[in-house]
Amino acid sequence: MLTDTHTHLYYETDAEKLTLLMQRCFDNQVKRLFLPNVDIASIGQIDDLVNKYPDHCFAMAGLHPCEVKENYEEVLDQICESIVDRQIYAIGEIGIDLHWDKTTLEIQKIAFKEQINWAKDLDLPIVIHCREAFDEIFEVLEAEKDEKLRGIFHCFTGNLEQANKAMALGFYLGIGGVVTYKKSGLDEVLKDVPLSRIVLETDSPYLAPVPFRGKPNESSYLVYIAEKLSEIYQVSVEEIAKVTTANSVSIFNI
């Protein structure tokens, strides 16, 4: 059984297409899907999918750093209020993104710290979005470090030094389609990262693995990421599935 620890499958609004997407997951033994929240609108979309597939889909709550705007405090309040009546398994995806807009860095940091504190209060992991912001992310994490701080560096594409730093802070590395790209260099980094600190993800509908690169991604494609990791770690796909799913259980406690 494979676990997709990060998928936006709920973006598909056509009910028939969504049913087919889920069926393809099950056909490929992808039977656990964790759904990161990005804004207020996605709360309802996530809940709809969880209600339809309660044994397979699991919700997170959080504000994506690219959605941190002038009204972020109001939005955070609404997302926080939603947690009261919902079963969630992580605070995410949260973090810092400096690719699109560097002017919001300070409020991104504030939002990131506030949501880390939600996670600590609820004893939940966090799922970190980090794009062109490793130094800024680590600065926040070092300041917030304690026995409750834990989670996943989603879509990890850093170097070995950054991987070691993340793991030293108690985080797992979320590995997705980028590992299948020839020039990513991620395969070389992972040769020095224990499988016991890896989880799989697709970030569907983004970052489709080879042979679907450039096309819409879906959670059923997780099998291609597992196959690439089986090459890197020189173990069977079944072993990759077993270990990474066990890792996801340790993180999300389900």
Side-chain angles (χ1 to χ4, degrees), residues 31-221:
K31 295 185 177 179
R32 287 159 47 85
L33 302 102
F34 288 83
L35 311 175
N37 194 196
V38 294
D39 55 18
I40 290 171
S42 60
I43 294 172
Q45 294 171 315
I46 288 170
D47 285 351
D48 287 346
L49 194 55
V50 169
N51 290 335
K52 194 171 182 182
Y53 298 96
D55 295 329
H56 303 284
C57 293
F58 309 96
M60 304 183 203
L63 182 63
H64 191 291
C66 290
E67 300 298 325
V68 176
K69 313 291 186 185
E70 287 182 3
N71 68 334
Y72 77 95
E73 291 171 312
E74 177 189 335
V75 175
L76 283 176
D77 285 346
Q78 290 185 56
I79 294 174
C80 190
E81 285 169 16
S82 81
I83 296 172
V84 177
D85 301 318
R86 303 163 65 227
Q87 177 68 64
I88 63 164
Y89 294 91
I91 301 298
E93 65 187 277
I94 64 175
I96 300 174
D97 188 310
L98 298 180
H99 179 74
W100 299 109
D101 188 355
K102 293 181 174 65
T103 67
T104 59
L105 174 59
E106 289 311 311
I107 58 174
Q108 284 191 53
K109 282 184 182 177
I110 294 168
F112 186 29
K113 289 177 182 177
E114 181 172 335
Q115 293 176 96
I116 288 172
N117 285 322
W118 295 356
K120 289 180 179 181
D121 289 344
L122 295 165
D123 197 18
L124 291 174
I126 61 173
V127 173
I128 297 175
H129 173 106
C130 174
R131 191 169 186 191
E132 297 176 19
F134 272 112
D135 290 346
E136 292 79 4
I137 290 279
F138 283 133
E139 180 187 332
V140 172
L141 295 180
E142 289 286 356
E144 298 293 332
K145 181 171 65 174
D146 63 16
E147 71 283 352
K148 286 192 170 184
L149 183 69
R150 64 191 193 278
I152 299 170
F153 260 80
H154 148 60
C155 191
F156 182 83
T157 54
N159 57 35
L160 183 58
E161 181 185 356
Q162 290 161 338
N164 286 331
K165 204 166 184 179
M167 290 187 291
L169 284 162
F171 286 83
Y172 290 73
L173 309 183
I175 304 300
V178 173
V179 75
T180 68
Y181 304 166
K182 278 186 178 178
K183 295 181 180 178
S184 75
L186 193 52
D187 53 344
E188 291 300 316
V189 172
L190 292 185
K191 287 176 181 176
D192 291 306
V193 173
L195 185 58
S196 60
R197 301 308 298 272
I198 297 292
V199 290
L200 304 185
E201 61 168 69
T202 60
D203 201 20
S204 160
Y206 313 110
L207 298 172
V210 174
F212 302 101
R213 188 176 183 181
K215 297 177 181 178
N217 199 4
E218 57 182 76
S219 288
S220 68
Y221 296 167

Side-chain angles (χ1 to χ4, degrees), residues 230-250:
S230 78
E231 290 176 23
I232 294 169
Y233 287 99
Q234 294 292 292
V235 297
S236 67
V237 171
E238 289 77 14
E239 182 67 9
I240 295 292
K242 178 183 173 184
V243 174
T244 55
T245 287
N247 293 344
S248 76
V249 172
S250 295

